[in-house]
Amino acid sequence: MGIGDRFSHQGVAQLRAIVKANKTGLDISPVWNKSNREHIYVHSHPADVRKEADAAVAVLGFTGKYFVDADHINLGTVAPFVETADFFTLDVASFIGKESPEADVKAFVASCGKYLGKLAIPGIDHPIAVTEDLLIVIAGKFLAATKQASEIYSFLKEKKGTGNFITEVSMDEVETPQTPVDLFFILKMLADKGVPAQTIAPKFTGRFNKGVDYTGNVDQFAKEFEEDVLVIDYAVKEFGLPVELKLSVHSGSDKFSIYPVMAEIIKKYDKGLHVKTAGTTWLEEVIGLALAGGEALDAAKFIYTNALGRKDELCAPYADVIDIDDSKLPSAEEVASWTSEKFANALRHIPGHPDYNPNLRQLIHVGYKVASEMGTAYTDLLKKHAEVVGACVEENIYERHLKRLFNL
Ligand SMILES: [Zn+2]
């Protein structure tokens, strides 16, 4: 379970939610994930995440496995994470579609001889037609990206030693989803190049907007997700990839309409799953501050009002992963009159609640830069109201996420 935390104050509250779920017999490992982009925006350092994780584990006496994830790194950004992370998300999305030497393409196609014709993947009821042309197309899309993954992996292996870290390969930040057949050959390429991927993040069908529910065809997602799970199971045996290899769902928080689907499928095949969340915890901080009232409610209102005034600037880096209807954003004057409850209800993700406003929620999601600029004025409020804020963070992860993801 990826539990990113923008300002590194909610580690204990996040871990409390996981401890609670594990008491039901589950074995969930917390993974504190933070990308280079987030570190830049909030002026934090990779070592801060390690400190937060170790401290939370010590406070609660947590004895399970836990990890610190260098999220979305590449060869240019990985170095500062090497010492303190033990989970690396190799982002190779920008290499998809880059040209590879003709000899590499030929060698790949030649190595796939046994899959030509009708590829039958156990559990998938329709055989997949594999032609040489299809293999050339797939090589054109993914050979360079998987080569890049192997270069980052080699760098890490050299620095940290084999087996001392988890390898995730991510291709999610692109327009076009990867199909299950793409995934099968991507896994073959990774195995061929010696990348022992333990989690893989494809781009799934549908929209995974930040902090709000999934938008798309749930039935189509269900079919694709199930086929991906079966492809992974087959690829593990076929290519000798790590047996724990699992799907990773990025921007995975708040996707309530597909949680039951994923829960059912991983249960059906007894598989694992990695879900990354981050922004959802930052939103709970703002909810907690609103509920605390007084100057804390004023700060929550300031964050919204300031973000509203700088909407274009704050939304620009997230243009592909948010959908805000401007006409449904409340004005600064309106929000100024809100009570604690009204503000919290507008922001809290309770689908169907009359006050819930996904537009306001998405704007505040990208507004963490405002809180970052407030500096200690913001973090002092987090410290002062740690109890109410922590209760919101824990409730959100346990009640709204883990319960739905694992049928608790
Ligand atoms: Zn991602």
Side-chain angles (χ1 to χ4, degrees):
M1 185 78 187
I3 42 171
D5 180 8
R6 304 263 193 262
F7 296 97
S8 302
H9 280 65
Q10 308 308 331
V12 173
Q14 293 173 317
L15 186 57
R16 277 201 308 261
I18 286 174
V19 167
K20 205 167 164 183
N22 282 350
K23 281 196 178 130
T24 69
L26 287 166
D27 180 18
I28 302 171
S29 304
V31 182
W32 278 273
N33 55 282
K34 202 164 190 179
S35 64
N36 194 54
R37 182 171 62 189
E38 284 172 76
H39 281 300
I40 291 170
Y41 285 164
V42 304
H43 310 293
S44 56
H45 189 270
D48 301 335
V49 185
R50 165 58 62 188
K51 262 186 240 155
E52 178 191 18
D54 289 349
V57 163
V59 166
L60 296 185
F62 182 74
T63 53
K65 283 188 204 158
Y66 68 101
F67 303 91
V68 171
D69 176 4
D71 201 4
H72 282 285
I73 49 83
N74 55 44
L75 267 185
T77 55
V78 65
F81 293 85
V82 166
E83 204 179 310
T84 52
D86 50 9
F87 187 127
F88 292 82
T89 299
L90 286 40
D91 183 344
V92 296
S94 64
F95 286 80
I96 295 177
K98 286 217 167 146
E99 208 174 328
S100 293
E102 210 183 309
D104 292 3
V105 176
K106 276 194 173 144
F108 168 73
V109 173
S111 75
C112 294
K114 72 176 277 202
Y115 306 113
L116 278 173
K118 294 220 180 296
L119 170 65
I121 294 189
I124 300 182
D125 54 13
H126 54 95
I128 298 155
V130 177
T131 61
E132 216 173 277
D133 286 349
L134 177 72
L135 292 172
I136 291 168
V137 169
I138 290 176
K141 280 185 195 158
F142 303 114
L143 218 42
T146 51
K147 181 158 183 281
Q148 185 62 21
S150 87
E151 279 173 27
I152 309 171
Y153 176 74
S154 300
F155 171 84
L156 287 168
K157 193 170 79 170
E158 158 98 26
K159 295 279 179 197
K160 294 195 71 87
T162 314
N164 293 328
F165 59 95
I166 303 251
T167 304
E168 167 158 330
V169 176
S170 78
M171 300 189 173
D172 62 302
E173 295 196 348
V174 291
E175 282 268 311
T176 319
Q178 290 112 36
T179 63
V181 64
D182 289 338
L183 182 63
F184 179 75
F185 288 109
I186 288 167
L187 293 174
K188 181 177 188 300
M189 292 171 189
L190 291 173
D192 287 347
K193 296 177 201 311
V195 181
Q198 284 163 283
T199 60
I200 180 129
K203 164 81 178 91
F204 295 102
T205 191
R207 277 185 79 87
F208 287 71
N209 285 336
K210 296 281 178 187
V212 293
D213 204 350
Y214 174 80
T215 325
N217 183 327
V218 174
D219 291 337
Q220 194 190 337
F221 173 83
K223 182 173 177 280
E224 179 185 285
F225 187 84
E226 183 163 14
E227 291 187 359
D228 282 349
V229 166
L230 290 163
V231 159
I232 286 177
D233 189 60
Y234 185 58
V236 163
K237 293 168 190 147
E238 196 69 6
F239 310 136
L241 286 163
V243 285
E244 66 275 21
L245 175 61
K246 52 179 80 75
L247 284 169
S248 175
V249 181
H250 286 210
S251 297
S253 83
D254 297 281
K255 303 296 172 285
F256 300 155
S257 60
I258 54 169
Y259 283 2
V261 169
M262 298 195 292
E264 197 191 306
I265 293 166
I266 59 169
K267 198 166 177 210
K268 182 173 168 188
Y269 298 105
D270 193 22
K271 295 296 175 191
L273 179 67
H274 185 56
V275 177
K276 290 202 194 198
T277 77
T280 197
T281 284
W282 138 250
L283 290 167
E284 291 301 326
E285 283 183 346
V286 183
I287 291 170
L289 293 179
L291 289 174
E295 52 171 4
L297 173 61
D298 291 342
K301 289 177 177 176
F302 171 78
I303 290 165
Y304 174 73
T305 306
N306 191 287
L308 188 62
R310 300 161 60 183
K311 195 180 143 288
D312 293 343
E313 170 210 336
L314 296 172
C315 290
Y318 291 94
D320 295 335
V321 283
I322 48 174
D323 261 325
I324 297 177
D325 179 348
D326 289 5
S327 71
K328 292 187 177 136
L329 286 170
S331 67
E333 295 72 38
E334 189 186 340
V335 171
S337 72
W338 283 0
T339 62
S340 287
E341 270 65 36
K342 173 74 187 173
F343 191 106
N345 288 339
L347 182 52
R348 195 185 289 114
H349 189 188
I350 308 277
H353 190 290
D355 287 335
Y356 169 54
N357 184 333
N359 303 290
L360 168 133
R361 185 171 165 87
Q362 289 179 90
L363 181 58
I364 295 182
H365 187 287
V366 300
Y368 63 93
K369 202 173 169 195
V370 178
S372 167
E373 289 162 3
M374 290 165 73
T376 51
Y378 179 72
T379 49
D380 284 350
L381 286 171
L382 290 182
K383 286 181 198 159
K384 191 170 168 190
H385 302 288
E387 205 166 317
V388 53
V389 172
C392 291
V393 168
E394 180 184 348
E395 179 198 76
N396 176 49
I397 294 181
Y398 184 74
E399 296 290 334
R400 292 194 277 286
H401 289 79
L402 296 177
K403 269 187 154 181
R404 285 180 170 111
L405 272 168
F406 297 102
N407 276 325
L408 298 178

